[in-house]
């Protein structure tokens, strides 16, 4: 959510930032609504002062026996009371218009975010690892013989429809091992605190992270009003909603492994084969709550945390900074990690790490008290995948595939699989 005071003070800068996102100037409309709202408030205050003055004079006129003046003043009080009620209603209506407009506008990109229209304009900043040279045609994850017994799309379709999977045998063992490995790495090596959260949340939580009202169709809602979380960014970030923290409590660094649910609205026809794009999936999420001064450094640190998972798994990847036209609604700068998938002969997103500035904090009313004193300030929030578990499974399967249809597994997972190191072409974990 945007600061109306900042827009008043520098509307040109606000519109220039929106232009970098490909949006038209909005400050004239915003300021017109704001001026109307403030005008109604001022008129109501003026009418209230007149009502108060007349109210004081009513008693004096009554005491003096001046019936004509008494009636005149009493009528004025009633008139002002009705006028104030009308003006307050009109001011509230303008305030609602202003709020509805402000909450629909995406976050403003930082200067470090490259300008562009779509993913073709994203900028690669580094690569790690070299894709393995294969002397056979690599298969996609859902074609590899070793994976076939454990990826049951037919049963999932019978149960739930398309874009679901039932995992069995070796596949669910590896999937579970990946999640545990990620959590252990983040808590023991990276200093994140593990949190277990609900996957059902109220409107306020979805609003706080920017999922509502604009993106309601992207999520699922129960008949009694709860929302199924698209990621635990929603729950972890909202743990500080409505709070005023001490600066000494910051940064707060959290991680959670949860089920996630997305309707995938607008993605019809994309990635329909396999488990790359699902309605239900698991993710290990990272969220940080920081001071404004520390948020950019925290963004780099969180990106490094996600990279460390891929490096330990020996999965080649690249890091790109998203252009202004490809960034998410609440982000002001985003790094995407794209893992190499030999079956697709390309890099695909496996993590997105974003700094949101005070955009979410304003929606949640989350502040901190500076250590040196002064007025409370809005915290800065950051979130990132550390990693998407299902996509990580895909990467492990495709990068570990062998010519005979078996799969060699990353050494870091062996302890989580009780010493087992590979999946045979028949789907057995050995």
């Amino acid at each position: 959510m945007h600061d109306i005071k900042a827009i008043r003070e520098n509307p040109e800068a606000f519109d220039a930032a929106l232009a970098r996102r490909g949006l038209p100037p909005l400050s004239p409309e915003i300021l017109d609504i704001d001026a109307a709202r403030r005008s109604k408030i001022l008129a109501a205050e003026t009418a209230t002062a007149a009502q108060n003055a007349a109210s004081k004079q009513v008693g004096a006129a009554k005491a003096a026996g001046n019936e004509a003046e008494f009636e005149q003043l009493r009528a004025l009080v009633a008139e002002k009371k009705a006028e104030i009620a009308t003006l307050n209603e009109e001011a509230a209506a303008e305030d609602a218009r202003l709020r509805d407009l402000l909450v629909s506008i995406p976050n403003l990109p930082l200067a470090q975010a490259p300008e562009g229209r779509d993913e073709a304009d994203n900028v690669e900043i580094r690569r790690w690892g070299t894709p393995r040279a294969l002397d056979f045609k690599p298969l996609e994850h859902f074609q590899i013989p070793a994976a076939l017994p454990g990826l049951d799309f037919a049963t999932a379709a019978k149960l739930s429809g398309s874009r679901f999977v039932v995992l069995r045998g070796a596949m669910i063992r590896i999937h579970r091992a990946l999640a545990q490995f990620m959590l252990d790495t983040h808590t023991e090596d990276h200093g994140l605190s593990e949190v277990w959260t609900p996957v059902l949340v109220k409107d306020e939580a979805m609003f706080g992270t920017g999922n509502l009202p604009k993106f309601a169709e992207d999520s699922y809602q129960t008949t009694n009003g709860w929302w199924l979380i698209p990621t635990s960014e929603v729950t972890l970030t909202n743990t500080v909603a409505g709070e005023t923290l001490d600066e000494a409590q910051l940064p707060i660094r959290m991680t959670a492994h949860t089920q996630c649910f997305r309707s995938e609205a607008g993605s019809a026809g994309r990635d329909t084969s396999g488990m790359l794009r699902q309605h239900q999936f698991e993710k290990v999420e990272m969220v940080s709550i920081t001071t404004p001064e520390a948020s950019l450094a925290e963004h780099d640190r969180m990106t490094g945390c996600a990279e460390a998972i891929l490096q330990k798994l020996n999965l080649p990847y690249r890091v790109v900074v998203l252009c202004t036209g490809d960034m998410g609604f609440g982000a002001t700068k985003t790094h995407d990690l794209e893992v190499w998938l030999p079956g697709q002969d390309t890099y695909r997103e496996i993590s997105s790490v974003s700094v949101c500035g005070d955009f979410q904090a304003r929606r949640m009313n989350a502040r901190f008290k500076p250590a040196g004193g002064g007025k409370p300030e809005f915290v800065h929030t950051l979130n990132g995948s550390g990693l998407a578990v299902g996509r990580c499974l895909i990467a492990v399967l495709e990068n570990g595939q062998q010519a005979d249809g078996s799969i060699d597994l990353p050494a870091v997972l062996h302890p989580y699989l009780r010493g087992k190191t590979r999946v045979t072409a028949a789907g057995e974990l050995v």
Side-chain angles (χ1 to χ4, degrees), residues 361-383:
R362 289 181 179 278
R363 298 170 78 101
M364 298 185 305
N365 192 27
R367 304 170 187 257
F368 74 98
K369 291 182 287 188
K375 293 175 59 177
E377 300 176 29
F378 288 106
V379 298
H380 276 202
T381 63
L382 304 94
N383 64 81

Side-chain angles (χ1 to χ4, degrees), residues 4-24:
I4 184 60
K5 182 180 178 182
I7 299 172
R8 284 191 212 118
E9 292 174 349
N10 200 340
E12 294 83 8
F14 181 78
D15 287 337
L18 290 181
R20 297 188 68 223
R21 277 214 184 237
L23 296 174

